[in-house]
Amino acid sequence: MGIINGLVFYLLQKGIDFIGRDALLRQKTEGIKKKFVMFTLTDHDEMCDNYPWRGEPIYRNGQYIGNVTSSAYGYTLGHMVCLGFINNPNGLVNLSYITAKNAQYEIAIGKKRFTAKAHAYPPKIEAANLGFYLPAQKMDKISTWNRV
């Protein structure tokens, strides 16, 4: 599970022996067949459509590849976020498999399939500049609060 979840660098430290180390080394050399991936639903309307709960099927180019394990609405991202394990029926799951340009992901909620975008890494979130003092800015460039 360490490589599947991306924790291999923490678990495979040199000189440390632990239960399952041999299995992780084998996964590292042979590759992995399933991976934990984040998806955002791009055409899901949170006001009208059903929410995913758990167990919803994940499709890649129309072929079943896994299930959703958890989900929630991401207010910062503005989309429904689903987490789930995916596999590659034809081989190994790697970064190029997840982010291939020809890959079209869908997550079925009830009887409707929603377009999903796979994220190999968490999306970067831009911090909002609310006019607060930032040490990198000069005092004369900071906007002031309107006084009532």
Side-chain angles (χ1 to χ4, degrees):
M1 289 297 281
I3 292 178
I4 294 169
N5 296 328
L7 300 174
V8 68
F9 297 109
Y10 297 107
L11 299 175
L12 289 179
Q13 297 178 8
K14 293 183 180 178
I16 298 176
D17 192 26
F18 57 91
I19 297 173
R21 187 173 196 276
D22 296 335
L24 283 177
L25 288 171
R26 189 171 52 255
Q27 281 184 352
K28 188 174 180 181
T29 58
E30 296 174 4
I32 56 172
K33 295 189 167 86
K34 71 178 181 177
K35 183 138 179 83
F36 194 61
V37 179
M38 175 182 149
F39 296 92
T40 51
L41 300 181
T42 56
D43 60 350
H44 184 270
D45 182 0
E46 63 278 355
M47 298 302 285
C48 299
D49 295 323
N50 291 333
Y51 274 43
W53 292 99
R54 182 177 84 173
E56 288 79 12
I58 302 169
Y59 296 93
R60 182 181 190 267
N61 298 334
Q63 185 177 20
Y64 170 79
I65 59 164
N67 288 88
V68 171
T69 59
S70 58
S71 64
Y73 184 76
Y75 289 95
T76 306
L77 298 174
H79 294 287
M80 181 62 70
V81 178
C82 298
L83 304 174
F85 285 102
I86 65 169
N87 59 45
N88 182 355
N90 302 320
L92 303 175
V93 177
N94 52 27
L95 186 60
S96 62
Y97 175 78
I98 297 168
T99 60
K101 292 188 183 212
N102 67 341
Q104 295 179 347
Y105 291 98
E106 295 175 312
I107 295 177
I109 304 170
K111 294 183 178 182
K112 187 174 178 183
R113 288 190 186 187
F114 295 92
T115 304
K117 181 178 179 185
H119 300 275
Y121 303 102
K124 291 185 179 180
I125 300 171
E126 297 293 328
N129 184 355
L130 302 175
F132 299 127
Y133 171 71
L134 300 174
Q137 294 179 338
K138 293 185 178 181
M139 288 299 289
D140 58 346
K141 292 186 179 180
I142 298 175
S143 61
T144 57
W145 292 93
N146 293 333
R147 295 183 185 175
V148 179

